[in-house]
Amino acid sequence: MTTAPERTADLYPTRGTTEVAIPRMDPVVWSEPGTPGPIGATELAGFERDGFLAVDQLVGPDEVDELRGELERLTSDPEMRADERSIVEPRSNEIRTVFEVHKISEVFARLVRDPRVVGRARQILGSDVYVHQSRINVKPGFGATGFYWHSDFETWHAEDGMPHMRAVSVSIALTENYDTNGGLMIMPGSHKTFLGCSGETPKDNYKKSLQMQDAGTPSDESLTKFAEAHSIKLFTGKPGSATWFDCNCMHGSGDNITPHPRSNVFIVFNSVENEAVEPFAAPVRRPEFIGARDFTPVK
């Protein structure tokens, strides 16, 4: 297993006066070559190179129906709507995201513990893992807003105190992901460079950023350079398909102006050897339902 660098050092400064591009200083795949797991050697090499791994059918149709039913139950529950873990769409005032679903729902808790899910996280990160964040995302048709280009690690490092790039996300589609309904876009290979953004982090920035990203947003000039260097990959797939991607991938999604809704469940696994500390570039921590402080390994 690869040994993590000193945890107290800030290897990835951000939210300063200027943007700064820094070469990645952490491994992408932390497990030793040949470590057994659900990801084959070729796929793992692709993840190392591109920063993502697409799985055509991670969960089956019956499982998708159960997960989608649970999503609909949560997003239609008036009590859930009033919960601080629910984020509403600015235009329609409908729920767009519910956080900490693995603690709210046993259906999603089982998904987190599923060997097909947590097994891939352990293999990539080379250790036991805990859930840094979980959520369900709802992007209904006719105007649901997208999310601007960003690196998750930049936010998790700045605002949650995640020391190193030793986290991985999985997005599992619960509806059809077309090339037109606001799907996930990633710049392949962008995970090898950290882009430290400019501008200070406002207090309680999460209240605004969860609806529309501002602090931690790359400049147009940097995004243009990244896109020219790496290109852009748009992910499509059937319900039950999944995309695993490294915490430092530059990614985003567009608005959904089609009639076709897009919903997914999103889980972030962090290594138990990469516990969050105090924020590196924010005045206070974000709430625990966004950036966990419970480092109990998933079992």
PDB file of all heavy atoms in Angstrom, residues 191-225:
ATOM      1  N   HIS A 191      -7.335  15.186 -13.853  1.00  0.00           N
ATOM      2  CA  HIS A 191      -7.086  14.859 -12.447  1.00  0.00           C
ATOM      3  C   HIS A 191      -5.609  14.896 -12.082  1.00  0.00           C
ATOM      4  O   HIS A 191      -5.254  14.874 -10.912  1.00  0.00           O
ATOM      5  CB  HIS A 191      -7.666  13.479 -12.126  1.00  0.00           C
ATOM      6  CG  HIS A 191      -7.035  12.356 -12.881  1.00  0.00           C
ATOM      7  ND1 HIS A 191      -6.975  12.328 -14.254  1.00  0.00           N
ATOM      8  CD2 HIS A 191      -6.421  11.207 -12.466  1.00  0.00           C
ATOM      9  CE1 HIS A 191      -6.354  11.223 -14.650  1.00  0.00           C
ATOM     10  NE2 HIS A 191      -6.010  10.535 -13.584  1.00  0.00           N
ATOM     11  N   LYS A 192      -4.733  14.980 -13.105  1.00  0.00           N
ATOM     12  CA  LYS A 192      -3.295  14.991 -12.845  1.00  0.00           C
ATOM     13  C   LYS A 192      -2.777  16.392 -12.488  1.00  0.00           C
ATOM     14  O   LYS A 192      -1.617  16.560 -12.121  1.00  0.00           O
ATOM     15  CB  LYS A 192      -2.538  14.469 -14.071  1.00  0.00           C
ATOM     16  CG  LYS A 192      -2.865  13.029 -14.452  1.00  0.00           C
ATOM     17  CD  LYS A 192      -2.324  12.055 -13.428  1.00  0.00           C
ATOM     18  CE  LYS A 192      -2.560  10.602 -13.838  1.00  0.00           C
ATOM     19  NZ  LYS A 192      -1.702  10.161 -14.932  1.00  0.00           N
ATOM     20  N   THR A 193      -3.650  17.409 -12.614  1.00  0.00           N
ATOM     21  CA  THR A 193      -3.261  18.793 -12.289  1.00  0.00           C
ATOM     22  C   THR A 193      -4.280  19.392 -11.330  1.00  0.00           C
ATOM     23  O   THR A 193      -5.484  19.326 -11.583  1.00  0.00           O
ATOM     24  CB  THR A 193      -3.195  19.658 -13.558  1.00  0.00           C
ATOM     25  OG1 THR A 193      -2.290  19.077 -14.490  1.00  0.00           O
ATOM     26  CG2 THR A 193      -2.747  21.076 -13.221  1.00  0.00           C
ATOM     27  N   PHE A 194      -3.804  19.975 -10.249  1.00  0.00           N
ATOM     28  CA  PHE A 194      -4.686  20.677  -9.317  1.00  0.00           C
ATOM     29  C   PHE A 194      -4.723  22.151  -9.695  1.00  0.00           C
ATOM     30  O   PHE A 194      -3.681  22.787  -9.865  1.00  0.00           O
ATOM     31  CB  PHE A 194      -4.188  20.539  -7.884  1.00  0.00           C
ATOM     32  CG  PHE A 194      -5.000  21.336  -6.892  1.00  0.00           C
ATOM     33  CD1 PHE A 194      -6.248  20.900  -6.498  1.00  0.00           C
ATOM     34  CD2 PHE A 194      -4.510  22.529  -6.364  1.00  0.00           C
ATOM     35  CE1 PHE A 194      -7.007  21.633  -5.582  1.00  0.00           C
ATOM     36  CE2 PHE A 194      -5.256  23.266  -5.452  1.00  0.00           C
ATOM     37  CZ  PHE A 194      -6.515  22.805  -5.062  1.00  0.00           C
ATOM     38  N   LEU A 195      -5.929  22.683  -9.835  1.00  0.00           N
ATOM     39  CA  LEU A 195      -6.086  24.100 -10.147  1.00  0.00           C
ATOM     40  C   LEU A 195      -6.559  24.821  -8.896  1.00  0.00           C
ATOM     41  O   LEU A 195      -7.723  24.703  -8.485  1.00  0.00           O
ATOM     42  CB  LEU A 195      -7.089  24.292 -11.285  1.00  0.00           C
ATOM     43  CG  LEU A 195      -7.224  25.725 -11.805  1.00  0.00           C
ATOM     44  CD1 LEU A 195      -5.898  26.222 -12.394  1.00  0.00           C
ATOM     45  CD2 LEU A 195      -8.328  25.817 -12.856  1.00  0.00           C
ATOM     46  N   GLY A 196      -5.621  25.547  -8.254  1.00  0.00           N
ATOM     47  CA  GLY A 196      -5.967  26.361  -7.105  1.00  0.00           C
ATOM     48  C   GLY A 196      -6.669  27.618  -7.565  1.00  0.00           C
ATOM     49  O   GLY A 196      -6.110  28.405  -8.335  1.00  0.00           O
ATOM     50  N   CYS A 197      -7.902  27.825  -7.128  1.00  0.00           N
ATOM     51  CA  CYS A 197      -8.714  28.946  -7.611  1.00  0.00           C
ATOM     52  C   CYS A 197      -8.439  30.223  -6.825  1.00  0.00           C
ATOM     53  O   CYS A 197      -7.869  30.183  -5.733  1.00  0.00           O
ATOM     54  CB  CYS A 197     -10.192  28.580  -7.520  1.00  0.00           C
ATOM     55  SG  CYS A 197     -10.647  27.164  -8.557  1.00  0.00           S
ATOM     56  N   SER A 198      -8.844  31.327  -7.385  1.00  0.00           N
ATOM     57  CA  SER A 198      -8.636  32.615  -6.724  1.00  0.00           C
ATOM     58  C   SER A 198      -9.913  33.058  -6.012  1.00  0.00           C
ATOM     59  O   SER A 198     -11.018  32.640  -6.369  1.00  0.00           O
ATOM     60  CB  SER A 198      -8.221  33.681  -7.750  1.00  0.00           C
ATOM     61  OG  SER A 198      -9.246  33.867  -8.712  1.00  0.00           O
ATOM     62  N   GLY A 199      -9.731  33.895  -5.008  1.00  0.00           N
ATOM     63  CA  GLY A 199     -10.873  34.444  -4.286  1.00  0.00           C
ATOM     64  C   GLY A 199     -11.096  33.764  -2.950  1.00  0.00           C
ATOM     65  O   GLY A 199     -11.014  32.544  -2.835  1.00  0.00           O
ATOM     66  N   GLU A 200     -11.376  34.550  -1.921  1.00  0.00           N
ATOM     67  CA  GLU A 200     -11.602  34.012  -0.588  1.00  0.00           C
ATOM     68  C   GLU A 200     -12.946  33.288  -0.506  1.00  0.00           C
ATOM     69  O   GLU A 200     -13.866  33.570  -1.282  1.00  0.00           O
ATOM     70  CB  GLU A 200     -11.562  35.137   0.452  1.00  0.00           C
ATOM     71  CG  GLU A 200     -10.185  35.758   0.629  1.00  0.00           C
ATOM     72  CD  GLU A 200     -10.163  36.765   1.762  1.00  0.00           C
ATOM     73  OE1 GLU A 200     -11.237  36.961   2.391  1.00  0.00           O
ATOM     74  OE2 GLU A 200      -9.102  37.336   2.022  1.00  0.00           O
ATOM     75  N   THR A 201     -13.049  32.380   0.461  1.00  0.00           N
ATOM     76  CA  THR A 201     -14.282  31.629   0.690  1.00  0.00           C
ATOM     77  C   THR A 201     -15.175  32.402   1.650  1.00  0.00           C
ATOM     78  O   THR A 201     -14.790  32.657   2.792  1.00  0.00           O
ATOM     79  CB  THR A 201     -13.977  30.257   1.306  1.00  0.00           C
ATOM     80  OG1 THR A 201     -12.994  29.599   0.514  1.00  0.00           O
ATOM     81  CG2 THR A 201     -15.245  29.416   1.378  1.00  0.00           C
ATOM     82  N   PRO A 202     -16.382  32.781   1.218  1.00  0.00           N
ATOM     83  CA  PRO A 202     -17.288  33.466   2.152  1.00  0.00           C
ATOM     84  C   PRO A 202     -17.728  32.525   3.270  1.00  0.00           C
ATOM     85  O   PRO A 202     -17.755  31.307   3.108  1.00  0.00           O
ATOM     86  CB  PRO A 202     -18.478  33.848   1.264  1.00  0.00           C
ATOM     87  CG  PRO A 202     -17.999  33.717  -0.141  1.00  0.00           C
ATOM     88  CD  PRO A 202     -16.951  32.649  -0.119  1.00  0.00           C
ATOM     89  N   LYS A 203     -18.105  33.082   4.401  1.00  0.00           N
ATOM     90  CA  LYS A 203     -18.652  32.280   5.484  1.00  0.00           C
ATOM     91  C   LYS A 203     -19.973  31.664   5.034  1.00  0.00           C
ATOM     92  O   LYS A 203     -20.774  32.318   4.352  1.00  0.00           O
ATOM     93  CB  LYS A 203     -18.871  33.133   6.733  1.00  0.00           C
ATOM     94  CG  LYS A 203     -19.333  32.323   7.940  1.00  0.00           C
ATOM     95  CD  LYS A 203     -19.505  33.199   9.169  1.00  0.00           C
ATOM     96  CE  LYS A 203     -19.979  32.367  10.366  1.00  0.00           C
ATOM     97  NZ  LYS A 203     -20.184  33.213  11.570  1.00  0.00           N
ATOM     98  N   ASP A 204     -20.192  30.398   5.412  1.00  0.00           N
ATOM     99  CA  ASP A 204     -21.398  29.663   5.012  1.00  0.00           C
ATOM    100  C   ASP A 204     -21.579  29.662   3.500  1.00  0.00           C
ATOM    101  O   ASP A 204     -22.701  29.757   2.982  1.00  0.00           O
ATOM    102  CB  ASP A 204     -22.651  30.249   5.681  1.00  0.00           C
ATOM    103  CG  ASP A 204     -22.672  30.017   7.190  1.00  0.00           C
ATOM    104  OD1 ASP A 204     -21.977  29.079   7.644  1.00  0.00           O
ATOM    105  OD2 ASP A 204     -23.366  30.757   7.906  1.00  0.00           O
ATOM    106  N   ASN A 205     -20.456  29.550   2.800  1.00  0.00           N
ATOM    107  CA  ASN A 205     -20.487  29.544   1.339  1.00  0.00           C
ATOM    108  C   ASN A 205     -21.361  28.416   0.795  1.00  0.00           C
ATOM    109  O   ASN A 205     -21.957  28.545  -0.278  1.00  0.00           O
ATOM    110  CB  ASN A 205     -19.061  29.396   0.806  1.00  0.00           C
ATOM    111  CG  ASN A 205     -18.989  29.338  -0.703  1.00  0.00           C
ATOM    112  OD1 ASN A 205     -19.483  30.229  -1.384  1.00  0.00           O
ATOM    113  ND2 ASN A 205     -18.392  28.293  -1.238  1.00  0.00           N
ATOM    114  N   TYR A 206     -21.443  27.302   1.523  1.00  0.00           N
ATOM    115  CA  TYR A 206     -22.179  26.144   1.035  1.00  0.00           C
ATOM    116  C   TYR A 206     -23.647  26.470   0.747  1.00  0.00           C
ATOM    117  O   TYR A 206     -24.270  25.861  -0.136  1.00  0.00           O
ATOM    118  CB  TYR A 206     -22.091  24.986   2.043  1.00  0.00           C
ATOM    119  CG  TYR A 206     -22.963  25.140   3.270  1.00  0.00           C
ATOM    120  CD1 TYR A 206     -24.230  24.569   3.312  1.00  0.00           C
ATOM    121  CD2 TYR A 206     -22.525  25.842   4.384  1.00  0.00           C
ATOM    122  CE1 TYR A 206     -25.034  24.707   4.432  1.00  0.00           C
ATOM    123  CE2 TYR A 206     -23.310  25.979   5.498  1.00  0.00           C
ATOM    124  CZ  TYR A 206     -24.577  25.414   5.528  1.00  0.00           C
ATOM    125  OH  TYR A 206     -25.372  25.557   6.629  1.00  0.00           O
ATOM    126  N   LYS A 207     -24.228  27.421   1.475  1.00  0.00           N
ATOM    127  CA  LYS A 207     -25.642  27.741   1.282  1.00  0.00           C
ATOM    128  C   LYS A 207     -25.906  28.271  -0.128  1.00  0.00           C
ATOM    129  O   LYS A 207     -26.974  28.054  -0.700  1.00  0.00           O
ATOM    130  CB  LYS A 207     -26.092  28.770   2.314  1.00  0.00           C
ATOM    131  CG  LYS A 207     -26.088  28.234   3.737  1.00  0.00           C
ATOM    132  CD  LYS A 207     -26.543  29.286   4.731  1.00  0.00           C
ATOM    133  CE  LYS A 207     -26.539  28.720   6.154  1.00  0.00           C
ATOM    134  NZ  LYS A 207     -26.960  29.730   7.152  1.00  0.00           N
ATOM    135  N   LYS A 208     -24.915  28.943  -0.690  1.00  0.00           N
ATOM    136  CA  LYS A 208     -25.038  29.447  -2.058  1.00  0.00           C
ATOM    137  C   LYS A 208     -24.474  28.467  -3.072  1.00  0.00           C
ATOM    138  O   LYS A 208     -25.063  28.225  -4.123  1.00  0.00           O
ATOM    139  CB  LYS A 208     -24.315  30.795  -2.183  1.00  0.00           C
ATOM    140  CG  LYS A 208     -24.369  31.402  -3.571  1.00  0.00           C
ATOM    141  CD  LYS A 208     -23.607  32.722  -3.623  1.00  0.00           C
ATOM    142  CE  LYS A 208     -23.629  33.316  -5.033  1.00  0.00           C
ATOM    143  NZ  LYS A 208     -22.847  34.574  -5.100  1.00  0.00           N
ATOM    144  N   SER A 209     -23.325  27.858  -2.743  1.00  0.00           N
ATOM    145  CA  SER A 209     -22.613  27.041  -3.727  1.00  0.00           C
ATOM    146  C   SER A 209     -23.368  25.775  -4.088  1.00  0.00           C
ATOM    147  O   SER A 209     -23.189  25.225  -5.179  1.00  0.00           O
ATOM    148  CB  SER A 209     -21.213  26.668  -3.209  1.00  0.00           C
ATOM    149  OG  SER A 209     -21.297  25.796  -2.095  1.00  0.00           O
ATOM    150  N   LEU A 210     -24.228  25.273  -3.202  1.00  0.00           N
ATOM    151  CA  LEU A 210     -24.977  24.055  -3.509  1.00  0.00           C
ATOM    152  C   LEU A 210     -26.065  24.307  -4.538  1.00  0.00           C
ATOM    153  O   LEU A 210     -26.579  23.365  -5.141  1.00  0.00           O
ATOM    154  CB  LEU A 210     -25.577  23.462  -2.230  1.00  0.00           C
ATOM    155  CG  LEU A 210     -24.557  22.963  -1.201  1.00  0.00           C
ATOM    156  CD1 LEU A 210     -25.266  22.445   0.041  1.00  0.00           C
ATOM    157  CD2 LEU A 210     -23.666  21.886  -1.790  1.00  0.00           C
ATOM    158  N   GLN A 211     -26.421  25.560  -4.724  1.00  0.00           N
ATOM    159  CA  GLN A 211     -27.370  25.903  -5.773  1.00  0.00           C
ATOM    160  C   GLN A 211     -26.663  26.420  -7.023  1.00  0.00           C
ATOM    161  O   GLN A 211     -27.064  26.115  -8.145  1.00  0.00           O
ATOM    162  CB  GLN A 211     -28.366  26.960  -5.273  1.00  0.00           C
ATOM    163  CG  GLN A 211     -29.338  26.421  -4.232  1.00  0.00           C
ATOM    164  CD  GLN A 211     -30.389  27.460  -3.866  1.00  0.00           C
ATOM    165  OE1 GLN A 211     -30.106  28.667  -3.810  1.00  0.00           O
ATOM    166  NE2 GLN A 211     -31.594  27.007  -3.612  1.00  0.00           N
ATOM    167  N   MET A 212     -25.618  27.189  -6.812  1.00  0.00           N
ATOM    168  CA  MET A 212     -24.849  27.721  -7.933  1.00  0.00           C
ATOM    169  C   MET A 212     -23.419  27.988  -7.485  1.00  0.00           C
ATOM    170  O   MET A 212     -23.193  28.772  -6.568  1.00  0.00           O
ATOM    171  CB  MET A 212     -25.481  29.004  -8.474  1.00  0.00           C
ATOM    172  CG  MET A 212     -24.832  29.524  -9.744  1.00  0.00           C
ATOM    173  SD  MET A 212     -25.821  30.821 -10.528  1.00  0.00           S
ATOM    174  CE  MET A 212     -27.254  29.879 -11.069  1.00  0.00           C
ATOM    175  N   GLN A 213     -22.482  27.310  -8.129  1.00  0.00           N
ATOM    176  CA  GLN A 213     -21.073  27.417  -7.739  1.00  0.00           C
ATOM    177  C   GLN A 213     -20.530  28.813  -8.020  1.00  0.00           C
ATOM    178  O   GLN A 213     -20.787  29.397  -9.064  1.00  0.00           O
ATOM    179  CB  GLN A 213     -20.252  26.381  -8.528  1.00  0.00           C
ATOM    180  CG  GLN A 213     -18.796  26.290  -8.126  1.00  0.00           C
ATOM    181  CD  GLN A 213     -18.576  25.405  -6.916  1.00  0.00           C
ATOM    182  OE1 GLN A 213     -19.523  25.004  -6.252  1.00  0.00           O
ATOM    183  NE2 GLN A 213     -17.337  25.106  -6.626  1.00  0.00           N
ATOM    184  N   ASP A 214     -19.761  29.367  -7.067  1.00  0.00           N
ATOM    185  CA  ASP A 214     -19.116  30.663  -7.256  1.00  0.00           C
ATOM    186  C   ASP A 214     -17.682  30.567  -6.782  1.00  0.00           C
ATOM    187  O   ASP A 214     -16.755  30.468  -7.587  1.00  0.00           O
ATOM    188  CB  ASP A 214     -19.885  31.752  -6.511  1.00  0.00           C
ATOM    189  CG  ASP A 214     -19.368  33.147  -6.834  1.00  0.00           C
ATOM    190  OD1 ASP A 214     -18.545  33.261  -7.767  1.00  0.00           O
ATOM    191  OD2 ASP A 214     -19.779  34.117  -6.174  1.00  0.00           O
ATOM    192  N   ALA A 215     -17.454  30.564  -5.464  1.00  0.00           N
ATOM    193  CA  ALA A 215     -16.105  30.362  -4.935  1.00  0.00           C
ATOM    194  C   ALA A 215     -15.609  28.985  -5.352  1.00  0.00           C
ATOM    195  O   ALA A 215     -16.339  28.005  -5.321  1.00  0.00           O
ATOM    196  CB  ALA A 215     -16.111  30.477  -3.415  1.00  0.00           C
ATOM    197  N   GLY A 216     -14.345  28.930  -5.777  1.00  0.00           N
ATOM    198  CA  GLY A 216     -13.796  27.669  -6.248  1.00  0.00           C
ATOM    199  C   GLY A 216     -14.070  27.393  -7.716  1.00  0.00           C
ATOM    200  O   GLY A 216     -13.846  26.274  -8.182  1.00  0.00           O
ATOM    201  N   THR A 217     -14.525  28.420  -8.439  1.00  0.00           N
ATOM    202  CA  THR A 217     -14.812  28.255  -9.867  1.00  0.00           C
ATOM    203  C   THR A 217     -13.595  28.658 -10.686  1.00  0.00           C
ATOM    204  O   THR A 217     -13.076  29.764 -10.523  1.00  0.00           O
ATOM    205  CB  THR A 217     -16.014  29.124 -10.278  1.00  0.00           C
ATOM    206  OG1 THR A 217     -17.155  28.739  -9.513  1.00  0.00           O
ATOM    207  CG2 THR A 217     -16.318  28.949 -11.759  1.00  0.00           C
ATOM    208  N   PRO A 218     -13.130  27.793 -11.587  1.00  0.00           N
ATOM    209  CA  PRO A 218     -11.983  28.141 -12.427  1.00  0.00           C
ATOM    210  C   PRO A 218     -12.312  29.278 -13.397  1.00  0.00           C
ATOM    211  O   PRO A 218     -13.475  29.495 -13.758  1.00  0.00           O
ATOM    212  CB  PRO A 218     -11.698  26.843 -13.201  1.00  0.00           C
ATOM    213  CG  PRO A 218     -12.393  25.767 -12.430  1.00  0.00           C
ATOM    214  CD  PRO A 218     -13.583  26.418 -11.802  1.00  0.00           C
ATOM    215  N   SER A 219     -11.282  29.973 -13.835  1.00  0.00           N
ATOM    216  CA  SER A 219     -11.466  31.048 -14.812  1.00  0.00           C
ATOM    217  C   SER A 219     -11.717  30.467 -16.193  1.00  0.00           C
ATOM    218  O   SER A 219     -11.383  29.307 -16.483  1.00  0.00           O
ATOM    219  CB  SER A 219     -10.223  31.938 -14.860  1.00  0.00           C
ATOM    220  OG  SER A 219      -9.122  31.217 -15.410  1.00  0.00           O
ATOM    221  N   ASP A 220     -12.296  31.275 -17.073  1.00  0.00           N
ATOM    222  CA  ASP A 220     -12.518  30.848 -18.454  1.00  0.00           C
ATOM    223  C   ASP A 220     -11.199  30.509 -19.140  1.00  0.00           C
ATOM    224  O   ASP A 220     -11.130  29.561 -19.934  1.00  0.00           O
ATOM    225  CB  ASP A 220     -13.223  31.955 -19.243  1.00  0.00           C
ATOM    226  CG  ASP A 220     -14.649  32.185 -18.792  1.00  0.00           C
ATOM    227  OD1 ASP A 220     -15.160  31.381 -17.970  1.00  0.00           O
ATOM    228  OD2 ASP A 220     -15.267  33.164 -19.249  1.00  0.00           O
ATOM    229  N   GLU A 221     -10.167  31.276 -18.828  1.00  0.00           N
ATOM    230  CA  GLU A 221      -8.866  31.036 -19.457  1.00  0.00           C
ATOM    231  C   GLU A 221      -8.313  29.671 -19.069  1.00  0.00           C
ATOM    232  O   GLU A 221      -7.834  28.915 -19.925  1.00  0.00           O
ATOM    233  CB  GLU A 221      -7.877  32.134 -19.055  1.00  0.00           C
ATOM    234  CG  GLU A 221      -8.190  33.522 -19.602  1.00  0.00           C
ATOM    235  CD  GLU A 221      -9.311  34.238 -18.853  1.00  0.00           C
ATOM    236  OE1 GLU A 221      -9.709  33.762 -17.753  1.00  0.00           O
ATOM    237  OE2 GLU A 221      -9.800  35.262 -19.367  1.00  0.00           O
ATOM    238  N   SER A 222      -8.392  29.330 -17.797  1.00  0.00           N
ATOM    239  CA  SER A 222      -7.889  28.034 -17.341  1.00  0.00           C
ATOM    240  C   SER A 222      -8.720  26.892 -17.896  1.00  0.00           C
ATOM    241  O   SER A 222      -8.186  25.854 -18.306  1.00  0.00           O
ATOM    242  CB  SER A 222      -7.875  27.975 -15.811  1.00  0.00           C
ATOM    243  OG  SER A 222      -6.904  28.852 -15.287  1.00  0.00           O
ATOM    244  N   LEU A 223     -10.029  27.057 -17.917  1.00  0.00           N
ATOM    245  CA  LEU A 223     -10.893  26.007 -18.454  1.00  0.00           C
ATOM    246  C   LEU A 223     -10.625  25.787 -19.941  1.00  0.00           C
ATOM    247  O   LEU A 223     -10.653  24.648 -20.421  1.00  0.00           O
ATOM    248  CB  LEU A 223     -12.359  26.363 -18.229  1.00  0.00           C
ATOM    249  CG  LEU A 223     -12.850  26.269 -16.783  1.00  0.00           C
ATOM    250  CD1 LEU A 223     -14.252  26.845 -16.653  1.00  0.00           C
ATOM    251  CD2 LEU A 223     -12.822  24.820 -16.300  1.00  0.00           C
ATOM    252  N   THR A 224     -10.358  26.853 -20.656  1.00  0.00           N
ATOM    253  CA  THR A 224     -10.035  26.721 -22.073  1.00  0.00           C
ATOM    254  C   THR A 224      -8.757  25.922 -22.265  1.00  0.00           C
ATOM    255  O   THR A 224      -8.682  25.022 -23.110  1.00  0.00           O
ATOM    256  CB  THR A 224      -9.888  28.110 -22.722  1.00  0.00           C
ATOM    257  OG1 THR A 224     -11.128  28.821 -22.600  1.00  0.00           O
ATOM    258  CG2 THR A 224      -9.525  27.988 -24.200  1.00  0.00           C
ATOM    259  N   LYS A 225      -7.739  26.214 -21.461  1.00  0.00           N
ATOM    260  CA  LYS A 225      -6.475  25.475 -21.536  1.00  0.00           C
ATOM    261  C   LYS A 225      -6.679  24.003 -21.176  1.00  0.00           C
ATOM    262  O   LYS A 225      -6.140  23.108 -21.826  1.00  0.00           O
ATOM    263  CB  LYS A 225      -5.433  26.108 -20.618  1.00  0.00           C
ATOM    264  CG  LYS A 225      -4.941  27.479 -21.076  1.00  0.00           C
ATOM    265  CD  LYS A 225      -3.962  28.070 -20.077  1.00  0.00           C
ATOM    266  CE  LYS A 225      -3.496  29.452 -20.517  1.00  0.00           C
ATOM    267  NZ  LYS A 225      -2.584  30.076 -19.513  1.00  0.00           N
TER     268      LYS A 225
END
